Amino acid sequence: MTRILVFANQQGDSLSSGAKEALAFGSRLASSTGGEVRSVTLGPLAEAGAREAIANGASIAYTISNPLLTEYDVELFVNSIHTVFEQSGSDILILSFDKIGKDLVGRIATRAGASAITEVVNYSANSDKVSWIRPIYGDKAFGEYSTTRPKVVVGIRQKSQDVIVQDETSKGEIIEVDYAPSEEMIVTKLVVKIQAALSDIRLEDARIIISGGRGLGGPEGFTELQVLANLLGGTVGASRAACDAGWVPSNLQVGQTGAVVAPDLYIAVGISGASQHLAGITNAKTVVAINTDPEATIFKRANIGVVADYKSVIQALTEKLKKVLV
Amino acid sequence: MHIVVCLKQVLDPEITPKYFKIDPDTNRPENSDTDLVLDSFAENALELAIQLRDKVPGATVTALCLGDEESEEVLRRALAFTANAAVRVWDEEWENLDGQAVGHILAQTIKSLGGAQLVLTGYQASDIEEGLVGPVMAEELGIPCVTLVSELEVEENSAKATVEVEGGYAVVSVATPAVFTIISSESNVPRLPKVKDIRLARSKPITLLESEDLNLDRESCQPGVKLERAYVLNREVACEVLPGDDGAELASELADRLLALKIL
Ligand SMILES: Cc1cc2nc3c(=O)[nH]c(=O)nc-3n(C[C@H](O)[C@H](O)[C@H](O)COP(=O)(O)OP(=O)(O)OC[C@H]3O[C@@H](n4cnc5c(N)ncnc54)[C@H](O)[C@@H]3O)c2cc1C
Ligand SMILES: Nc1ncnc2c1ncn2[C@@H]1O[C@H](COP(=O)(O)O)[C@@H](O)[C@H]1O
């Protein structure tokens, strides 16, 4: 039987979206391997997190409710999660490979003498043998990995899992772990935290996104996209090339190193369709591409293609839709 | 102050998907001999290392690469960026290392170089994107690791790092020595090396270290993961290209299609 431990990170008193994805992945894996899922939550609100983890499939929920764990600290979290990983006798530790997970996976794995695998999106289970599936080479290919050590720490790619429909009636045991991290362990101090200016609609939540790339030739083109986006109740995104050129702020970047989005409609304007860009729109429903080059890779991902200069299309499209929609 | 920056040679991430193929016998990209470049986040780390050195009198930068002879290209590039020294570590047996094994070997190499106040890496290499080498090295060296760093200011025994966190940025202060994994930012855009420095870089020495020169743990040099199979997934969609070449007509046709989708 595989024993799966999931680190369920909290944001305030509820689980982070990454934690829910990690729990969903763990539950799926448990049902294919005949294993069970346990969770670990940290900090004074750990018990609320534990209950939510149980509703998301955990059968045993470990907590360390020490007040030192109120704010994220890398050393304290590495020590605490590692302790629970060892004490629970788990074989597999699953974490979201989100910003915090990027701190944790390599360190906990090395400390535990476990294998480490990151950016995992799926697995394949054959009797007791599990292999881990993840994109490689900027999403141009997939790799299937086996592990060579008895234990493994797995980082799940963000936005790659459907979360479980919570079941508040599911039962599980909450166990407070006897472990006290100490202040001396802390080596990084927070000086200041700056909340990024949020646009009206977060890219991640937008139903309609109109993205511009290098083909727009400058920041002015983005003004046209913004007018269309406003009309449609959508928001504007960009390729890395457009962000790097300074035409739009970098928090508009869509892709592997930017936002991963899943809108109903994604319009790519003057974007060639590099694999790293497409990595951000894997789950977009309808993709429209407007590009002067009929050979552009984006047409292999788009459902509807328009081969034309965007300047001749966007304004005309906005005018036409205005007549119908307003 | 000694700064070590770790540089990896990778397959050019911008290669056109059309030309990207996996060789089923080796599980490696078919064109792996051609377009090899310095990993882009590692290049950001290199740029930052040089900038920091130039601010602190007496500071030096060592560029470090684990790789075969071909990967000396990335060290030449670092020398053209005016890195003070270049070190390559390699052993024929290291064909299939994973990030953890690389982290162990690089950490032992840094020890044999007498340590470093700052160890800089890219946050995720643009080929496999394991994102493990930095944190693993920190664990092996017993020093802190700060990930997703866009800016770095060095003080006597500490450093202030601007890091990306959920929903924004944070500035953290950390005791050095420490490892920092670097993301791209406005302040670390790689420079265009001067022609003179490129020429000088060609004749500068690159130190080669082999496994017997290092205090390696056999077990830690074994990869923890093994690539069993790699494949290109065909995600091509049948695209309906709207006919015609008049912008206004295309726009009108597109508007009709979008309205028909019933999402507007
Ligand atoms: C490690 C790494 C991570 C990366 N992460 C990301 C990421 O998260 N997101 C991302 O987007 N990129 C990312 N990239 C960069 C990516 O590889 C591409 O370089 C980038 O996406 C290209 O942007 P683009 O399509 O706007 O530019 P280009 O590739 O230059 O394409 C411009 C397109 O515009 C078309 N065009 C030109 N003029 C017009 C016109 N008048 N009207 C209509 N079309 C026109 C051209 O035909 C062309 O197809 C990453 C790269 C690396 C190495
Ligand atoms: N073989 C290597 N030699 C030197 N540095 C490396 C090597 N592999 C990875 N790195 C460094 O570690 C960073 C992250 O790589 P990875 O953990 O493989 O995603 C890279 O950007 C490099 O800075």
Side-chain angles (χ1 to χ4, degrees):
Chain A
M1 187 188 79
T2 47
R3 253 187 274 187
I4 302 165
L5 180 70
V6 175
F7 168 55
N9 192 38
Q10 287 165 277
Q11 258 159 5
D13 59 358
S14 50
L15 296 185
S16 70
S17 57
K20 287 183 190 159
E21 286 190 68
L23 281 162
F25 187 96
S27 299
R28 208 150 58 80
L29 180 62
S31 58
S32 349
T33 56
E36 69 168 351
V37 181
R38 301 176 175 194
S39 66
V40 49
T41 48
L42 305 176
L45 302 171
E47 207 183 305
R51 273 195 297 272
E52 207 181 336
I54 290 168
N56 278 279
S59 56
I60 293 180
Y62 297 102
T63 54
I64 301 177
S65 42
N66 194 296
L68 272 179
L69 300 168
T70 308
E71 288 289 332
Y72 171 71
D73 174 79
V74 51
E75 304 298 327
L76 299 183
F77 275 48
V78 166
N79 290 336
S80 303
I81 299 166
H82 174 245
T83 302
V84 180
F85 188 32
E86 297 282 320
Q87 286 192 7
S88 62
S90 308
D91 320 299
I92 300 174
L93 171 64
I94 298 178
L95 302 86
S96 168
F97 205 52
D98 56 11
K99 296 204 167 87
I100 288 178
K102 291 195 162 81
D103 272 352
L104 304 174
V105 174
R107 298 212 31 205
I108 298 174
T110 302
R111 196 168 293 190
S115 296
I117 178 108
T118 58
E119 301 286 11
V120 169
V121 296
N122 209 344
Y123 63 84
S124 86
N126 235 322
S127 62
D128 234 11
K129 231 181 128 38
V130 179
S131 51
W132 310 96
I133 300 172
R134 51 159 299 171
I136 50 179
Y137 299 107
D139 267 56
K140 283 191 262 303
F142 280 84
E144 226 176 281
Y145 289 84
S146 61
T147 53
T148 59
R149 305 198 173 114
K151 292 181 181 189
V152 57
V153 181
V154 183
I156 305 294
R157 176 175 274 209
Q158 274 185 284
K159 291 270 171 68
S160 67
Q161 308 298 313
D162 291 328
V163 302
I164 302 178
V165 182
Q166 297 212 135
D167 178 2
E168 311 294 343
T169 63
S170 46
K171 296 250 173 330
E173 190 185 350
I174 298 179
I175 299 176
E176 171 75 14
V177 177
D178 180 22
Y179 173 72
S182 75
E183 204 137 7
E184 285 81 70
M185 294 172 184
I186 301 175
V187 286
T188 39
K189 281 202 191 70
L190 182 68
V191 179
V192 42
K193 198 163 166 175
I194 305 136
Q195 208 67 32
L198 294 177
S199 52
D200 295 345
I201 308 175
R202 269 165 41 96
L203 273 175
E204 281 87 348
D205 306 329
R207 281 185 55 243
I208 297 174
I209 298 173
I210 304 170
S211 280
R214 188 169 3 233
L216 261 53
E220 303 78 23
F222 278 92
T223 319
E224 282 183 42
L225 299 194
Q226 187 68 58
V227 174
L228 179 58
N230 290 350
L231 174 69
L232 304 182
T235 190
V236 169
S239 73
R240 170 148 152 197
C243 296
D244 284 355
W247 301 342
V248 285
S250 60
N251 59 354
L252 294 194
Q253 183 177 319
V254 171
Q256 187 194 337
T257 40
V260 175
V261 300
D264 292 334
L265 175 62
Y266 188 83
I267 307 185
V269 188
I271 291 177
S272 62
S275 62
Q276 294 90 354
H277 186 81
L278 300 185
I281 60 166
T282 320
N283 295 322
K285 288 215 184 75
T286 301
V287 175
V288 176
I290 303 175
N291 197 304
T292 42
D293 176 9
E295 299 295 319
T297 317
I298 188 73
F299 289 120
K300 299 210 183 320
R301 171 64 184 87
N303 307 86
I304 303 174
V306 176
V307 180
D309 188 327
Y310 83 93
K311 291 195 202 95
S312 68
V313 179
I314 296 294
Q315 273 179 12
L317 178 65
T318 310
E319 289 312 315
K320 169 100 200 252
L321 287 173
K322 208 183 261 167
K323 286 189 196 125
V324 188
L325 297 172
V326 238
Chain B
M1 179 174 74
H2 185 207
I3 307 171
V4 169
V5 58
C6 301
L7 305 178
K8 184 182 193 184
Q9 192 179 43
V10 298
L11 181 76
D12 186 348
E14 306 262 358
I15 182 171
T16 319
K18 201 163 50 182
Y19 300 118
F20 181 87
K21 291 200 176 66
I22 297 272
D23 177 343
D25 293 328
T26 62
N27 279 330
R28 288 168 189 249
E30 270 179 12
N31 21 28
S32 57
D33 297 337
T34 47
D35 310 299
L36 295 173
V37 297
L38 169 56
D39 166 46
S40 68
F41 295 111
E43 193 169 33
N44 296 125
L46 170 63
E47 173 62 36
L48 175 62
I50 300 289
Q51 287 178 17
L52 290 172
R53 178 206 58 193
D54 290 344
K55 279 183 207 151
V56 181
T60 58
V61 170
T62 302
L64 171 60
C65 174
L66 185 162
D68 59 13
E69 202 170 335
E70 204 171 349
S71 59
E72 291 201 350
E73 272 311 302
V74 306
L75 293 172
R76 294 275 167 226
R77 185 156 177 81
L79 291 168
F81 271 53
T82 74
N84 302 76
V87 176
R88 178 168 74 90
V89 270
W90 186 240
D91 191 304
E92 288 302 330
E93 286 179 14
W94 295 346
E95 275 290 334
N96 291 306
L97 298 183
D98 67 346
Q100 275 183 295
V102 170
H104 171 71
I105 296 165
L106 290 180
Q108 292 307 320
T109 310
I110 291 168
K111 278 188 197 160
S112 81
L113 295 174
Q117 189 180 351
L118 307 177
V119 178
L120 307 187
T121 75
Y123 100 98
Q124 256 170 290
S126 44
D127 51 356
I128 312 293
E129 301 151 44
E130 285 185 276
L132 289 172
V133 169
V136 168
M137 277 198 292
E139 191 68 23
E140 295 259 351
L141 293 167
I143 60 178
C145 179
V146 186
T147 58
L148 301 168
V149 174
S150 57
E151 272 162 62
L152 198 55
E153 253 178 71
V154 197
E155 282 146 35
E156 183 76 11
N157 296 310
S158 68
K160 245 191 219 143
T162 306
V163 298
E164 220 173 65
V165 296
E166 222 52 70
Y169 292 89
V171 179
V172 300
S173 138
V174 63
T176 52
V179 176
F180 302 86
T181 79
I182 309 300
I183 57 175
S184 64
S185 76
E186 276 152 31
S187 61
N188 64 24
V189 177
R191 65 193 58 202
L192 287 173
K194 294 198 190 100
V195 175
K196 175 190 79 143
D197 290 329
I198 296 175
R199 208 172 33 211
L200 283 175
R202 278 193 215 126
S203 54
K204 285 201 178 141
I206 292 177
T207 308
L208 175 66
L209 296 176
E210 294 170 296
S211 49
E212 53 268 27
D213 302 319
L214 304 169
N215 186 13
L216 298 175
D217 172 48
R218 271 199 77 78
E219 178 57 24
S220 305
C221 292
Q222 300 303 315
V225 299
K226 223 176 107 202
L227 181 61
E228 301 286 355
R229 202 159 74 90
Y231 47 92
V232 175
L233 236 196
N234 187 356
R235 280 185 282 204
E236 284 185 21
V237 168
C239 179
E240 187 196 351
V241 177
L242 303 183
D245 50 17
D246 179 75
E249 277 169 28
L250 284 167
S252 170
E253 180 68 22
L254 178 58
D256 292 339
R257 294 304 166 100
L258 294 181
L259 291 165
L261 291 172
K262 303 229 176 297
I263 37 189
L264 301 187

